Amino acid sequence: MSDEVRFSLTVDGTSHEVTARWSESLLTVLRDRLGVRGPKTGCAHGRCGACAVRADLGDGDPHVLCACLVPAATAAGGTVETIASIGGPDGELSDVQEAFLAEGAVQCGICTAGFVTAATELLESNPEPTRTEIEEALYGNLCRCTGYGRIVAAVETAARTRRGEAR
Amino acid sequence: MLLAAPRFALPETVTEALAALAERPDAVVVAGGTEVMPDLLWRNRTAAGFVSLRRVAGLRGVSSVDGELVVGAGTPVAALTAVPDAGLRSAASSLGTPLVRTEATIGGNVVSALPYRNLLPALLASGATLELTSAAGTRTVPFDGFVTAPGRTGLAEGELLTAVRLPAHTGFADYTKVGRRNAQFVATVSAAIVSRDGAARLAFGNAAPTPLRSDDVDAAATALLDGRADAGDLRAAVAAAVDPPDDPIASAGYRRHALGVLAVRLVTRAAVDGGLGS
Ligand SMILES: Cc1cc2nc3c(=O)[nH]c(=O)nc-3n(C[C@H](O)[C@H](O)[C@H](O)COP(=O)(O)OP(=O)(O)OC[C@H]3O[C@@H](n4cnc5c(N)ncnc54)[C@H](O)[C@@H]3O)c2cc1C
Ligand code: FES
Ligand code: FES
């Protein structure tokens, strides 16, 4: 009996016809089948947030999720926005990405796309987050390098810049 | 049906989901996938296909019907962090991470039936009932007794959990858990309380192979709430009622002690925050 499932998926504005094994995760489809390498494989089971993407999977409002936990074929006909959709088309950085650079919130970088994705989502819904709200929103993202202080500072900086306040 | 392959189905209604399951008896139901996907990765489970509930819109959402809170089995835990039931809200708010809570469903938590799962004590304390649907129709069963052993439930083959119903509470409700660290932890033990009209009802997680409550514990908790007994009496009642596991995470002795501490903590909160005590 065939293990394969065929479905369409739009990633960063490009539509794809995917053929995948029934049990495959959205993360391996993105990275290994479609060559979309923005989402990273950290733990592969929902603990680290390195694979975070924003997705509209036909199950309610679009939201940020761990691509490693989603069976890819359940996203059939859906839309995924990776870190590539957060910056500009020619590689311009978003305000959140600029703030991560300015605050030194990036070291090895494997966690960065996930943090920027989660932080961008937070600022969309809550333009004036407190430090506690930032920590709660980033609770599902792990970083082995920075010690988190610079990351929280970067989100605070991005929020201030977005509100038009001086740094 | 949005998609049907030999080993995969993406139904849009409960009827389609039941039919897809009947055609694929070796497939597993997958809702959020937050248990199933890691289980497959770590080979804790074998499966020969998926029937996904992700696109069954009728299973998602929270409503109030005849004084009960009716939660569709496919409702994400993230949505439970804002429900009127304070016990469920508290148990949902400390489940996993924000990125897990958007996918994790109440149905997956209940059917996984593991003794350390967050929502189970809250459902037991509140006197929840479950709606189970099969091709033969829908039956309603109490949550108390639904879990028969760790990971095992009274769900029949070819049956789906379709909704969880909670009586509306006017009193105080809460949930608390302890683990081996403060971040992203599963409960070593957990407890939930509902107190109203001066009576307390407690339920515990990882206190026995299945979610546990006891009339003796509730009598001691109610007496503590009224000032007719002290904390030591409640701790003794809890220690006598529980039969906790002994495993590499914690000894049975530690769990028995910690469960007593959590019980006293919740009754104290009910007395103070709920304003129902002496
Ligand atoms: C990083 C991480 C942290 C976590 N932390 C916690 C935590 O702190 N506390 C906690 O309790 N859990 C935790 N979990 C476990 C998990 O997220 C929850 O138990 C969640 O509620 C499971 O829901 P799901 O929809 O993802 O289940 P799924 O994985 O889709 O399914 C779980 C089981 O339920 C069955 N099932 C699902 N829905 C139905 C239905 N409607 N009818 C019949 N059967 C059904 C499936 O066949 C499967 O056996 C964590 C998971 C991860 C990955
Ligand atoms: S790779 Fe998905 S959460 Fe770690
Ligand atoms: S920068 Fe290395 S893990 Fe975060």
Side-chain angles (χ1 to χ4, degrees), chain B residues 214-235:
Chain B
S214 127
D215 289 340
D216 288 348
V217 167
D218 290 352
T222 302
L224 176 59
L225 203 57
D226 297 341
R228 285 183 286 114
D230 64 23
D233 299 328
L234 175 56
R235 280 199 297 270

Side-chain angles (χ1 to χ4, degrees), chain A residues 78-105:
Chain A
T79 305
V80 175
E81 288 174 4
T82 74
I83 188 71
S85 291
I86 287 180
D90 297 319
E92 306 103 52
L93 300 182
S94 76
D95 51 357
V96 176
Q97 288 172 312
E98 289 286 5
F100 269 63
L101 272 186
E103 294 290 347

